[in-house]
């Protein structure tokens, strides 16, 4: 979401990744626990102990967020929604999904599962802590359990704010969706509320900075900005999906004219194709027909002075789901492959693998904006969103 993410492990079939931004947050949490929070409870421990406790607290939070996201993902899987994985990033976690939930009921249970998991973890930690106090445990485990208990309850409450796309906003959307049977309207209303919450957090943050709480204030403002941005994007993605609903790739396909022969040298590929057509990929065609695809980004792996001795054949990759789509696939699928791979242009094939043409992101975008412009009901909701 913000940059590079690292895959850590697989949990019940879901890939767990961390965004680079999370590492910075983990360090900040460790530091503030070790130097700020824990010494307030008990100042008799050694410096090393505080750092160990800080790391334990941060790891505990890490595990808690994974369990929260895992609950969303498990419920989603139960409702038949394909999930890509779990990514931890600066403000917590995200259970990534490609599609909208199939029904209001599915969305309600998917959304509520995460906060319920956080509440359960919070109460379990507090329960163990109370038992520990009764058995006169030393202060270190008590402090970590206390922190994890409180932070999980805070996580649950924050996520339950009715601000889309936070969990509470999704719960709200599912209720509105079930009531009016209109996903776009439900998304619009809950996004506007989400956006409003974002604005409120930004003002709270600014107020807090002037009142002397600079670090806390900056945090609130950042979370507010993030929330506003995310709620807007979620609504726009609904509009795009609706505009492309039911449209087949065929409609956007153009005949492929720029084909490359496998023995073309890389300098020719750059000069006669890349600088002429500005496409990111070209089908490689020999006498028997198309055989593979060459992506212009792979040229960068070869030093410029060697471009005249290497051929396209060495760079070409076989047809795959990353560079081709079928002519009767949904256009939304092409858009999601483009987003995932960064290929702004995909080759279109029939079911026998025969090359039919190509589809470019630009053509999809032009179609979407034309449709939003012409079709009155979409235009109205989009227009009022733009004016704010
Ligand atoms: Zn959640």
């Amino acid at each position: 979401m913000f940059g590079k993410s690292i895959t850590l492990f697989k949990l019940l079939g879901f890939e767990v990744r961390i965004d680079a931004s999370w590492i910075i947050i983990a360090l900040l949490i460790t530091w503030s626990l070790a130097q700020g929070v824990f010494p307030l409870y008990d100042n008799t421990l050694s410096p090393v102990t505080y750092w160990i406790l800080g790391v334990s607290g941060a790891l505990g939070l890490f595990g808690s967020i994974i369990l929260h996201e895992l609950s969303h993902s498990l419920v989603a899987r139960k409702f038949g929604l394909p999930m890509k994985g779990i990514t931890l990033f600066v403000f917590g976690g995200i259970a990534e999904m490609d599609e909208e939930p199939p029904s209001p009921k599915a969305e309600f249970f998917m959304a509520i599962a995460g906060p319920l998991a956080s509440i359960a973890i919070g109460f379990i930690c507090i329960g163990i802590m109370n038992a520990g106090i009764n058995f006169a445990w030393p202060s270190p485990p008590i402090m970590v359990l206390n922190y994890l208990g409180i932070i999980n309850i805070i996580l649950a409450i924050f996520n339950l704010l009715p601000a889309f796309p936070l969990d509470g906003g999704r719960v709200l959307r599912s209720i509105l969706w079930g009531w009016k049977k209109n996903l776009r309207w439900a998304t619009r209303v809950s996004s506007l509320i989400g956006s409003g919450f974002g604005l409120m957090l930004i003002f709270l943050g600014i107020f807090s900075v002037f009142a002397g709480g600079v670090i806390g204030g900056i945090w609130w403002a950042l979370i507010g900005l993030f929330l506003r941005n995310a709620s807007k994007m979620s609504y726009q993605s609904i509009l795009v999906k609706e505009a492309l609903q039911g449209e087949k790739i065929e409609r956007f396909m153009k005949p492929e004219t720029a084909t490359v022969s496998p023995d073309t040298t890389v300098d020719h590929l750059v000069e006669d194709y890349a600088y002429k057509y500005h496409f990111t990929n070209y089908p490689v065609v020999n006498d028997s027909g198309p055989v593979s695809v060459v992506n212009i980004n792979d040229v960068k792996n070869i030093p410029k002075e060697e471009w005249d001795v290497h051929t396209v054949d060495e760079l070409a990759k076989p047809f795959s789901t990353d560079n081709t789509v079928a002519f009767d696939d949904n256009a939304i699928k092409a858009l999601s492959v483009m987003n995932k791979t960064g290929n702004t242009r995909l080759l279109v094939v029939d079911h026998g693998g025969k090359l039919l043409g190509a589809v470019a992101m630009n053509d999809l975008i032009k179609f979407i904006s034309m449709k939003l412009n012409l079709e009155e009901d979409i235009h109205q909701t989009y227009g009022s969103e733009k004016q704010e």
Side-chain angles (χ1 to χ4, degrees):
M1 169 149 266
F2 286 95
K4 286 259 174 280
S5 63
I6 309 151
T7 303
L8 293 181
F9 48 80
K10 251 189 161 167
L11 194 61
L12 300 176
F14 301 108
E15 258 185 27
V16 177
R17 291 180 286 267
I18 50 168
D19 188 84
S21 63
W22 208 88
I23 297 168
I24 299 166
I25 298 305
L27 290 175
L28 270 175
I29 291 169
T30 306
W31 174 74
S32 66
L33 286 177
Q35 297 296 303
V37 178
F38 290 151
L40 283 180
Y41 287 96
D42 180 353
N43 59 6
T44 60
L45 305 169
S46 72
V48 179
T49 313
Y50 288 117
W51 282 110
I52 294 173
L53 292 179
V55 171
S56 321
L59 283 177
L61 176 62
F62 177 77
S64 305
I65 297 174
I66 290 180
L67 288 174
H68 174 113
E69 300 305 330
L70 188 67
S71 320
H72 287 308
S73 300
L74 285 173
V75 176
R77 186 153 73 185
K78 210 165 161 36
F79 280 101
L81 214 65
M83 301 296 288
K84 282 195 287 190
I86 295 167
T87 302
L88 297 192
F89 73 112
V90 63
F91 298 122
I94 275 190
E96 294 158 61
M97 49 182 180
D98 266 340
E99 296 165 27
E100 295 295 336
S103 66
K105 189 178 148 209
E107 168 145 71
F108 179 85
F109 286 109
M110 277 167 58
I112 202 87
L116 287 182
S118 293
I119 291 173
I121 302 166
F123 279 113
I124 291 170
C125 288
I126 290 170
I128 301 175
M129 178 191 79
N130 284 330
I133 292 172
N134 282 336
F135 288 109
W137 284 1
S139 70
I142 303 282
M143 291 194 296
V144 174
L145 284 166
N146 186 33
Y147 164 72
L148 289 177
I150 292 170
I151 201 79
N152 271 291
I153 304 288
I154 292 177
L155 259 177
I157 293 173
F158 177 75
N159 274 297
L160 281 173
L161 286 179
F164 192 82
L166 293 181
D167 298 336
R170 289 186 176 277
V171 169
L172 173 68
R173 178 172 85 157
S174 72
I175 295 169
L176 295 174
W177 181 13
W179 175 38
K180 289 256 181 153
K181 311 274 179 274
N182 181 338
L183 177 61
R184 192 199 321 146
W185 175 80
T187 310
R188 176 158 181 261
V189 172
S190 38
S191 300
L192 282 176
I193 296 175
S195 200
F197 263 102
L199 203 61
M200 208 175 75
L201 287 177
I202 295 170
F203 281 127
L204 250 169
I206 294 170
F207 180 77
S208 168
V209 167
F210 282 115
V214 177
I215 303 277
I218 290 173
W219 265 114
W220 285 118
L222 275 178
I223 294 174
L225 276 174
F226 166 75
L227 197 55
R228 261 180 86 74
N229 193 31
S231 59
K232 235 181 201 143
M233 301 246 299
S234 318
Y235 181 54
Q236 277 162 7
S237 104
I238 284 276
L239 286 180
V240 165
K241 277 177 189 157
E242 280 206 1
L244 288 183
Q245 193 72 51
E247 301 290 351
K248 301 274 180 247
I249 304 258
E250 247 176 329
R251 180 165 193 178
F252 309 96
M253 185 179 82
K254 294 210 168 119
E256 178 57 271
T257 44
T259 57
V260 191
S261 112
D263 51 9
T264 307
T265 55
V266 173
D267 58 344
H268 271 131
L269 175 72
V270 172
E271 205 54 48
D272 301 334
Y273 290 86
Y275 292 160
K276 184 174 167 195
Y277 299 104
H278 319 123
F279 300 150
T280 47
N281 50 16
Y282 302 88
V284 182
V285 176
N286 66 15
D287 294 338
S288 60
V291 281
S292 52
V293 189
V294 62
N295 190 308
I296 217 72
N297 288 318
D298 292 332
V299 168
K300 287 185 267 185
N301 298 332
I302 299 178
K304 194 167 189 279
E305 55 280 9
E306 293 174 25
W307 282 2
D308 55 340
V309 292
H310 291 279
T311 61
V312 161
D313 203 27
E314 298 166 49
L315 294 176
K317 294 198 176 101
F319 286 150
S320 72
T321 50
D322 281 351
N323 49 39
T324 53
V325 278
F327 72 102
D328 57 351
D329 273 339
N330 206 308
I332 294 167
K333 191 187 163 194
L335 207 57
S336 93
V337 173
M338 288 170 184
N339 277 331
K340 199 181 84 192
T341 61
N343 275 339
T344 50
R345 187 167 165 275
L346 304 170
L347 301 179
V348 182
V349 290
D350 68 8
H351 293 295
K354 192 173 150 255
L355 184 69
L356 298 174
V359 57
M361 186 183 248
N362 240 342
D363 296 327
L364 292 176
I365 290 170
K366 280 183 205 151
F367 173 85
I368 294 164
S369 69
M370 187 58 80
K371 191 162 182 181
L372 292 177
N373 188 26
L374 291 178
E375 292 188 18
E376 199 52 30
D377 59 330
I378 301 181
H379 177 67
Q380 274 173 355
T381 45
Y382 183 66
S384 59
E385 174 83 339
K386 259 201 317 204
Q387 277 160 16
E388 49 153 46

